[in-house]
C-alpha cells in the first residue's frame, strides 16, 4: 500500500516563548484524546478510582497515594509511547513484517511491566493492611 505524497502538508512553524507552553498543553490534550481511543487506556482510567478507593479503605498514607500517582503516571506514559510505536509501525508496515511484530511486542512488554509494578504495589499495600495486623 503506497501513500500519496502529493497530499503532504508543510511542517507548521515552530512555536517558541510563552506560546510554546500553551501549544504544548494543547498537544498533550490531543494526545489524551487519541489515547482515549485505546481500550487499554480506558481500562487504566477505570482502575484509578478503584485503586484510590482501596488505598482509602485500608487507611493508606500520603506516601502510598504519591507512589500510586507515580506508578499510574508511568503506566499512562508507557501506554502512550506504546500507542505511538503502534501508529508508526502501522504506517511503515501495513502488511505483516517481523520488525513490526517485534516493535509491537516490545511496547506491549513495557506496558505489562508497569502493570505488574502497579499490581505488586497494590498487593503490598493490601498485605501490609491485612496480613500484618
Amino acid at each position: 500500500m503506497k501513500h500519496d505524497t502529493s497530499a503532504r502538508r508543510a511542517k507548521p512553524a515552530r512555536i517558541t516563548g510563552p506560546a510554546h507552553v500553551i501549544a504544548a498543553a494543547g498537544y498533550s490534550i490531543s494526545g489524551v484524546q487519541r489515547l482515549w481511543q485505546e481500550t487499554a487506556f480506558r481500562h487504566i482510567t477505570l482502575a484509578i478510582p478503584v485503586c484510590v478507593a482501596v488505598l482509602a479503605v485500608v487507611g493508606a498514607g500520603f506516601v502510598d497515594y504519591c507512589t500510586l500517582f507515580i506508578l499510574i503516571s508511568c503506566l499512562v506514559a508507557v501506554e502512550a509511547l506504546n500507542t505511538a510505536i503502534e501508529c508508526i509501525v502501522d504506517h511503515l508496515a501495513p502488511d505483516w513484517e517481523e520488525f513490526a511484530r517485534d516493535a509491537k511486542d516490545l511496547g506491549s512488554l513495557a506496558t505489562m511491566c508497569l502493570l505488574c509494578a502497579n499490581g505488586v504495589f497494590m498487593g503490598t499495600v493490601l498485605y501490609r493492611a491485612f496480613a500484618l495486623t
Side-chain angles (χ1 to χ4, degrees):
M1 174 184 200
K2 297 281 182 182
H3 295 286
D4 182 14
T5 58
S6 63
R8 289 190 178 176
R9 292 184 275 175
K11 185 176 179 180
R14 185 177 175 104
I15 300 172
T16 60
H20 175 74
V21 174
I22 295 168
Y27 303 147
S28 296
I29 290 168
S30 294
V32 170
Q33 291 171 337
R34 170 57 185 89
L35 200 54
W36 186 255
Q37 297 172 22
E38 299 295 318
T39 302
F41 178 67
R42 292 193 306 271
H43 288 164
I44 291 167
T45 61
L46 290 173
I48 293 169
V50 172
C51 291
V52 169
V54 168
L55 292 183
V57 167
V58 301
F62 178 73
V63 171
D64 292 325
Y65 285 97
C66 289
T67 303
L68 178 65
F69 175 78
I70 291 166
L71 285 171
I72 293 287
S73 296
C74 289
L75 178 59
V76 169
V78 168
E79 183 60 37
L81 291 171
N82 183 39
T83 300
I85 290 167
E86 289 180 354
C87 289
I88 292 168
V89 165
D90 289 344
H91 176 75
L92 294 175
D95 297 322
W96 188 91
E97 298 281 347
E98 189 172 349
F99 85 88
R101 181 206 61 209
D102 291 347
K104 288 183 173 193
D105 288 352
L106 290 166
S108 180
L109 171 63
T111 301
M112 186 187 73
C113 288
L114 272 173
L115 283 169
C116 290
N118 278 270
V120 167
F121 169 70
M122 291 304 294
T124 59
V125 168
L126 291 170
Y127 177 78
R128 185 179 64 215
F130 296 113
L132 298 179
T133 57

